[in-house]
Amino acid sequence: MSTINELHRLETADIEIGVSEALKRHATRHVAQHKPVSGRVLAFERRRPRWLRECVGEATGVFLYVFPGLASVAGFLIHASTQEPPVTVYSSFFQIGLAFAMGIMFAIVIAGPTSGGHFNPAVTISLAVWQGFPWKKVPHYILSQTFGSFMAGLLVMGMYRQQILEFEAAAMTAGVPLVSGSGPASIFASFPLENQSLGYLFMIEFFVDSFIGLVIWSCIDPANPFVSPTTVPIVIGVGYGAMVWGFADITISTNMARDLGCRIVAAIFYGREAFSYKSYCWISLLVNIPATLFATGFYELFLRDSVQLINKGGVAHQEGDDGLRRYLSEVGMLKDGEQMETTMHVSNTTAIGKGLAR
């Protein structure tokens, strides 16, 4: 009898609503409940300069991605000659790539909403060239990114100082230059190995940076159905890590700000040779920019689908709804008499969706 009553109760609307609301309250609980926002807080945030928030966001993001990566490189190089315990206990190229990849994920999640998450001068310049990012902000972003890298390098130097001093002594005893591909300065910046030509290093750097640029540009394309905002940090981080795993043993830089900020740290402790060693510096600092412009230009010219982007609500036609209607009519995607709905997120059942389906 009780079973029949329970089944009868479950069929009633009030029980279902009550259960659903209880589940909803449980699902929307937060780990930390925020207190009400005061007028004082709102006034402070209103007075806070937007450009300052963005610069702090860029510096913080670069710091968050460079700091764990450098720490992993330091652990690897400092114990590279140690046989007991083996070096794999401390680090490996896989672990270095994973540290940079996870650092990028954290950087995008923490600082990306504030500044847009560029974290790379080449990305900032590419956004200015292709997406209308204000050119007047570009120098501020690049300086902030470089400062974040500099602070990460300085902090790693301080935290690993005792071990680095021992590494320096061992390197001098073995006749290894402090500024070299295997010396202590290479913890902070890229240096070529012996018998590596500049042309070879240029080619490696160019294609590695182009690969990363393509990954980034595809991730920030709202029309890409395979990447959602929540997966962007993971995809970009893994893309970066894949290049570290594949080519870090050859010598790559991948980011002007990451290299310049940490190279300044190396120059402070190891002298001007940090910039002059084998004339490699210009490759590590500058190749990233044309390579990323090449990759993003390739995407814009051959892979971008602007109609699909408009359909997703990611951008509007330059001439408004009338311009879009004329274009769709000219190419036969919008038939005479059909109505076009242009909201921020156009449904596939609208005329644009019908045109795309054809």
Side-chain angles (χ1 to χ4, degrees), residues 50 54 57-58 108 111-119 123 127 133 141 220:
R50 176 65 190 177
E54 292 176 349
E58 284 297 297
I108 296 174
T114 300
S115 64
H118 301 188
F119 310 145
V123 173
L127 286 169
F133 182 77
Y141 267 55
I220 64 175

Side-chain angles (χ1 to χ4, degrees), residues 194-233:
E194 295 296 329
N195 302 321
Q196 286 185 323
S197 69
L198 293 182
Y200 171 76
L201 293 173
F202 175 91
M203 180 189 70
I204 297 296
E205 186 70 37
F206 188 90
F207 284 103
V208 164
D209 296 345
S210 297
F211 179 93
I212 296 173
L214 273 176
V215 172
I216 293 173
W217 224 243
S218 65
C219 285
I220 64 175
D221 183 357
N224 190 336
F226 301 105
V227 183
S228 66
T230 54
T231 60
V232 165

Side-chain angles (χ1 to χ4, degrees), residues 10-33:
L10 288 174
E11 291 175 357
T12 60
D14 57 337
I15 294 296
E16 292 177 358
I17 293 175
V19 171
S20 64
E21 288 185 345
L23 292 173
K24 182 178 180 181
R25 286 195 300 270
H26 176 80
T28 56
R29 288 189 303 174
H30 297 284
V31 175
Q33 296 294 334

Side-chain angles (χ1 to χ4, degrees), residues 16-68:
E16 292 177 358
I17 293 175
V19 171
S20 64
E21 288 185 345
L23 292 173
K24 182 178 180 181
R25 286 195 300 270
H26 176 80
T28 56
R29 288 189 303 174
H30 297 284
V31 175
Q33 296 294 334
H34 292 283
K35 63 180 181 180
V37 179
S38 66
R40 181 178 299 180
V41 171
L42 292 175
F44 165 76
E45 293 179 352
R46 181 174 59 84
R47 291 193 300 267
R48 182 177 53 192
R50 176 65 190 177
W51 66 267
L52 179 61
R53 289 188 64 221
E54 292 176 349
C55 289
V56 171
E58 284 297 297
T60 302
V62 175
F63 175 89
L64 290 170
Y65 118 67
V66 174
F67 180 66

Side-chain angles (χ1 to χ4, degrees), residues 56-140:
V56 171
E58 284 297 297
T60 302
V62 175
F63 175 89
L64 290 170
Y65 118 67
V66 174
F67 180 66
L70 284 189
S72 186
V73 173
F76 175 74
L77 289 177
I78 287 172
H79 300 95
S81 60
T82 303
Q83 298 300 323
E84 297 180 359
V87 66
T88 51
V89 171
Y90 293 96
S91 187
S92 64
F93 279 120
F94 178 79
Q95 184 174 327
I96 292 171
L98 191 62
F100 275 111
M102 295 184 70
I104 289 174
M105 296 180 202
F106 299 145
I108 296 174
V109 169
I110 295 171
T114 300
S115 64
H118 301 188
F119 310 145
N120 186 334
V123 173
T124 300
I125 293 172
S126 296
L127 286 169
V129 170
W130 301 113
Q131 300 294 336
F133 182 77
W135 279 101
K136 64 181 181 181
K137 289 186 177 182
V138 171
H140 301 150

